[in-house]
Every structure is written in C-alpha cells, then in structure tokens.
C-alpha cells in the first residue's frame, strides 16, 4: 500500500456506498482501501483471485464485488487474450464481444493460438480514472520495464521487484525507446546464445541464432517497425560485434529490447500464478445475473475446453400440486429453487437457466459440480420433493441463444440425457466427473461408492458409461 492515501472523489465514494448494497461489506471495504491507498501498479489489471487470497476473502464474493464495481463504473473490466507460453497479452478488449478472431499470434513465442475461454482469456479489473488516475491510464508514458510489467504481461506472471531487476540485468543486452519516425543504431556484442530483438508495443520480433566461431568483424542487421505485428524470422550470426539499425515507421513509440533467450528468461516466464479466466467468471452467479444478456454477440462461438454441467429436475411435482394445492406446492417449489441456487453459488457455479422445474448450471471443475449436487440432495432430503441430478464434463461452445448467454455442444446434450436416467435421489455422473481426482476424494470422504452402469443415451450411438452415486 502507498504511504499516503489518495483522494477519492465524492461521486466515487457514493458509488462505493451503492456497491455495499449489492456486495459483501468486507470485500467492498478491501476494494475501497485499495483504491485509496494502493500503489498505482496494484490498481492496474487487478488479479481478483490473487486479491482474494492476499486478503483472505472468499473468491466468489470478491468476483461478485468486482463485477458489480465494474457495472457501477468504479473499475473497468478487461478481457485479455493471452499467450499460454510467455503470458503476454496479445490483445486487450473492453468486452468479451470483441474477441472475434479465430487465431492469435505471439511474436515472442512464434506460435499461433486459437482462443479458448479456459486459460487464454484473462479477466482483470483496472480502477476507473474518475475514481483515481494511475500511471497505467497513460501507457505511452510508462518506462519500458513498467510497460512490460503493467501492459504486456498478464496478471498471471509473477513479479518480484528484486528478482525481476536481476532478470533484466542478466537477460537484456540493450534496450531503447524510439518515437514515431525515429531511427537509431545500437552497437552490441553478441554472446553465443539465442537472441531476440523484441518490441512489446507492436508485438514484433527478430530472432538471432548466434553460434559458431567468434568474429571480430562487425556484423549488420536492420529491423524496421511498421503496423504489421509479426515475427520477421531468424538469422544466423557469429558471436562478436553487431551494428543493429532500428527504424520506427509507426505512429506510436516502440520499446525495443535485445534479450538473451536462455535459462534465466525461461525460468522467469515459467513462474505463473492463478488468474481469473473468462471461464471462471462465466460460472460466477453475479456475472450471470448482470451480464447474461450482454456477454457475447449473436454471431460469436467461443470455445471452452472443459466445463462441468449439472442438470436437475424435480420428481413428483405434478402429483404435489394435486395433493396439496397450487399455493402450498408453489411455495415448496420456490424453496427448492432457493436451495438449489444456494448450493450452486456455494460451489462457484452459476445457474444458466431454468426450464419449468429443471435447472441447468455450470461449474469450473468437476468436483465443484459434484459437491453442489450432494448439497442439493442433502437440502431436499426428507421433503416432499425429490431432485434428479445428472453431471457431465467436457468441451463446449459459449453462445448467445434466445438473447442470453448459453452453451452448446455434445457435452451439454450428454449432461441433459444423463439427468434423464435418474429416477430417485441417486445422482448420475459420467466418467470424467467421477474419475476426476478431486471429485474422487469428495466421494471417498463421504463414503460413497459409485456404481458403474452402461446406458443408452438418445443421440449417442454407442453404449455410454455412467455412474450412479447412491
């Protein structure tokens, strides 16, 4: 935290008061302290999961608070396309609707990636300038290394001030800032190593494979920056002097660094921490409630490589209405939905939709879905209603359907069909759920032994292995 608090406008304080009405008070207090006392870098691209861990706060309550804070204009939400290798931000978007390209290229890693919402899209939160202006609001004024830390790299990259400075000293041969139209010459001594000339602003790179016998002859290389973000290839050179000519033909500055791509750089880039993924936020109930009709464009089809689906339905609701009357039955069904929604929220899930007495919910991982199913069953035990539950995990597409966020694919269909197998309080789940290590530990701790069955599911040609959890 900063030594002295920063003044926050009265309008922003009023919005924090509104935030306290819809989010956990302790979480809001921590966020407001951050806005008033945090150093500038701490308010840029806030990693909500790291924030929750550092303040010993519930993750889902923190996510809900930041989502509401974004809606109120206290923080700006950013959906950042990441390189899975180096953790660099390949593209930053104000909304998920802007993620429409089918492929993203990392010039530093020389790799193409198809965007998925699991680990390639980071969601971060930056304080709004009306609350407090920070240096990252003017990225063109940041120093090269502050730009690398605050703009190029994601919140999943671990920065320790001392170790980062040590890495810079060890891996950087030289660096320079070039204004638009500027040209310069760097005189370097090439080591026998793989060298990368990289600019994080234009995402452009030139590789130099330095090998062979050292030379005293001066070697020449020219790099020109334009608006084409790309890797320009690899050239072979010998250890020794290099005259590197750099020319900036763009309308913005470039920040060229000459890096030794050795063990020190790879070790630094290999240190990653958990960050808030798009998939994780999509399974947050607060986000579902606020953005479910505004998350995607109607023409978007975004891939998720792994999502857990839970389908539930009531057994005996029709007979209940006949037996106790509409008013009493309605209250019982409402209580059922309340219990189910609470179970879903407690396990970091989100209710996507309800259809009659049926519920469709999503969870980031299989053990979360299984734990929610067990909570649901326990909540309705001994009552007039029995809940039938099915679980499945796998890949899917996030889409807009009927003007709201929804999911499409075989995984969704299988989860619904598996739920249809349940006829009692037993939970039916597929192999990817039951055999997931964390889910298996939950079952073992509860003394539950799943019984393997072979079932025929509509739309599935072959017999399908499912487990009944008694």
């Amino acid at each position: 935290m900063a030594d002295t608090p920063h003044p926050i406008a009265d309008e922003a304080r009023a919005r924090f008061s509104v935030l306290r009405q819809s989010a956990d008070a302790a979480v809001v207090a921590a966020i407001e302290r951050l806005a008033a006392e945090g150093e500038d870098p701490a308010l840029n691209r806030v990693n909500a999961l790291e924030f929750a861990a550092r303040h010993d706060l519930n993750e889902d309550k923190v996510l809900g608070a930041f989502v509401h804070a974004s809606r109120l204009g206290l923080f700006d939400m950013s959906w950042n396309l990441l390189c899975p290798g180096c953790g660099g931000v390949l593209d930053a978007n104000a909304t998920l609707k802007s993620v429409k390209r089918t492929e993203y290229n990392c010039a530093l890693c020389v790799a193409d990636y198809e965007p998925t919402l699991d680990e390639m899209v980071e969601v971060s939160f930056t304080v709004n300038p009306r609350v407090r202006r920070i240096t990252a609001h003017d990225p063109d004024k940041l120093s090269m290394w502050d730009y690398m830390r605050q703009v190029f790299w994601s919140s999943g990259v671990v920065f320790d001030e001392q170790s980062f400075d040590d890495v810079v000293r060890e891996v950087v041969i030289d660096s320079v800032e070039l204004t638009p139209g500027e040209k310069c010459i760097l005189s370097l001594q090439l080591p026998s190593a793989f060298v990368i000339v990289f600019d994080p602003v234009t995402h452009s790179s030139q590789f130099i494979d330095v090998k062979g016998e050292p030379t005293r002859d001066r070697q020449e290389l020219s790099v020109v920056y334009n608006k084409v973000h790309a890797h320009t290839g690899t050239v072979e050179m010998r250890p020794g002097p290099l005259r590197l000519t750099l020319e900036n033909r763009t309308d913005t500055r470039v920040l060229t660094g000459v890096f030794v791509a050795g063990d020190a750089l790879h070790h630094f880039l290999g240190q990653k921490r958990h960050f808030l993924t798009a998939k994780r936020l999509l399974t947050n109930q607060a986000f579902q409630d606020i953005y479910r009709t505004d998350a995607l464009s109607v023409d978007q089809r975004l891939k998720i490589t792994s999502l857990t689906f839970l389908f539930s339905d009531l057994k005996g609701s029709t007979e209940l209405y006949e037996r106790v009357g509409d008013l009493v039955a309605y209250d019982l069904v409402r209580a059922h939905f309340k219990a189910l929604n609470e179970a879903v929220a407690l396990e970091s899930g989100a209710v996507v939709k309800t259809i009659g007495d049926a519920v469709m919910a999503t969870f980031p991982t299989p053990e979360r879905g299984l734990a929610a199913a067990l909570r649901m069953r326990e909540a309705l035990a001994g009552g007039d209603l029995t809940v039938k539950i099915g679980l499945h995990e796998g890949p899917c597409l996030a889409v807009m359907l009927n003007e709201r966020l929804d999911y499409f694919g075989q995984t969704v269909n299988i989860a619904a069909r598996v739920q249809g197998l349940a006829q009692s309080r037993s939970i039916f789940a597929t192999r990817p759920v039951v055999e997931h290590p964390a889910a298996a530990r939950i079952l073992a701790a509860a003394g539950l032994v799943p019984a393997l069955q072979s079932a025929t599911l509509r739309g599935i040609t072959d017999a399908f292995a499912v487990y009944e959890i008694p």
Side-chain angles (χ1 to χ4, degrees), residues 38-296:
E39 300 285 357
D40 279 13
L43 286 158
N44 177 53
R45 288 188 181 165
V46 176
N47 181 335
L49 300 186
E50 189 273 335
F51 180 87
R54 178 158 35 92
H55 294 278
D56 195 25
L57 296 167
N58 177 273
E59 280 187 2
D60 292 300
K61 291 180 179 179
V62 168
L63 299 190
F66 272 110
V67 166
H68 283 286
S70 175
R71 196 65 161 179
L72 290 169
L74 292 167
F75 280 76
D76 296 325
M77 194 185 312
S78 180
W79 303 75
N80 308 318
L81 266 295
L82 307 184
C83 170
C86 68
V89 175
L90 308 180
D91 192 20
N93 304 277
T95 70
L96 190 55
K97 291 181 179 180
S98 302
V99 182
K100 290 190 174 182
R101 286 161 52 188
T102 57
E103 190 174 84
Y104 288 81
N105 172 268
C106 179
L108 185 58
C109 297
V110 195
D112 297 325
Y113 300 102
E114 181 181 11
T116 66
L117 300 184
D118 300 68
E119 297 297 332
M120 272 198 66
V121 182
E122 164 208 51
V123 187
S124 60
F125 301 88
T126 299
V127 69
N128 187 282
R130 290 174 297 182
V131 177
R132 176 179 154 191
R133 191 151 195 91
I134 60 174
T135 53
H137 289 143
D138 300 300
D140 288 343
K141 296 181 181 179
L142 291 172
S143 69
M144 177 171 182
W145 304 117
D146 282 340
Y147 186 93
M148 293 290 286
R149 281 181 289 198
Q150 297 189 49
V151 178
F152 176 72
W153 274 312
S154 73
S155 67
V157 177
V158 177
F159 290 107
D160 174 81
E161 199 69 33
Q162 183 60 47
S163 63
F164 180 73
D165 291 343
D166 292 342
V167 169
V168 169
R169 283 192 292 269
E170 186 172 352
V171 307
V172 179
I173 299 173
D174 205 347
S175 63
V176 65
E177 175 180 338
L178 295 178
T179 58
E182 188 176 2
K183 184 176 181 179
C184 79
I185 297 174
L186 298 181
S187 295
L188 310 174
Q189 191 71 23
L190 288 178
S192 181
F194 199 84
V195 173
I196 302 175
V197 181
F198 179 70
D199 167 51
V201 180
T202 62
H203 289 251
S204 301
S205 67
Q206 169 71 62
F207 289 0
I208 309 173
D209 190 5
V210 186
K211 58 187 178 182
E213 290 296 321
T215 180
R216 293 184 178 180
D217 297 333
R218 188 174 62 188
Q219 303 165 99
E220 302 273 353
L221 179 65
S222 179
V223 175
V224 177
Y225 295 105
N226 50 44
K227 291 187 177 180
V228 179
H229 300 184
H231 167 61
T232 54
T234 303
V235 296
E236 285 191 13
M237 290 189 168
R238 292 163 62 185
L242 168 67
R243 178 186 170 98
L244 177 62
T245 302
L246 303 170
E247 184 177 358
N248 180 9
R249 295 181 184 174
T250 74
D251 56 2
T252 185
R253 68 171 181 166
V254 296
L255 303 171
T256 300
V258 183
F259 301 85
V260 176
D263 292 341
L265 182 60
H266 292 144
H267 176 73
F268 167 72
L269 295 178
Q271 298 180 87
K272 300 289 190 349
R273 63 186 171 196
H274 291 300
F275 59 87
L276 178 59
T277 64
K279 181 184 85 167
R280 178 73 170 81
L281 190 59
L282 291 182
T283 62
N284 176 264
Q285 192 63 58
F287 180 85
Q288 274 281 340
D289 293 342
I290 295 174
Y291 291 102
R292 70 175 65 195
T293 61
D294 194 39
L296 301 174

Side-chain angles (χ1 to χ4, degrees), residues 318-347:
T318 302
E319 294 83 352
L320 180 68
Y321 276 93
E322 292 180 356
R323 181 160 50 86
V324 301
D326 290 348
L327 186 60
V328 174
Y330 176 72
D331 287 340
L332 289 172
V333 171
R334 281 189 62 191
H336 145 264
F337 277 119
K338 183 175 183 294
L340 265 56
N341 286 338
E342 289 176 351
V344 170
L346 284 170
E347 296 300 337

Side-chain angles (χ1 to χ4, degrees), residues 4-17 20 28-38 43 73-75 127-133:
T4 57
H6 294 261
I8 295 179
D10 291 340
E11 178 189 358
R13 294 200 179 279
R15 294 190 183 195
F16 272 111
S17 296
R20 275 188 281 273
V28 175
I31 294 175
E32 191 168 11
R33 283 196 304 273
L34 174 67
E37 302 173 11
L43 286 158
L74 292 167
F75 280 76
V127 69
N128 187 282
R130 290 174 297 182
V131 177
R132 176 179 154 191
R133 191 151 195 91

Side-chain angles (χ1 to χ4, degrees), residues 295-365:
L296 301 174
S297 299
V298 293
D299 59 341
Q300 277 182 292
R301 307 288 186 270
L302 295 178
K303 288 187 176 182
I304 300 177
T305 58
S306 172
L307 196 63
T308 298
F309 289 90
L310 180 152
F311 280 82
S312 74
D313 198 4
L314 286 181
K315 180 181 181 182
S317 59
T318 302
E319 294 83 352
L320 180 68
Y321 276 93
E322 292 180 356
R323 181 160 50 86
V324 301
D326 290 348
L327 186 60
V328 174
Y330 176 72
D331 287 340
L332 289 172
V333 171
R334 281 189 62 191
H336 145 264
F337 277 119
K338 183 175 183 294
L340 265 56
N341 286 338
E342 289 176 351
V344 170
L346 284 170
E347 296 300 337
S348 302
V351 173
V352 179
K353 59 186 175 183
T354 59
I355 307 170
D357 295 334
V359 169
M360 172 184 172
T362 57
F363 299 86
T365 52

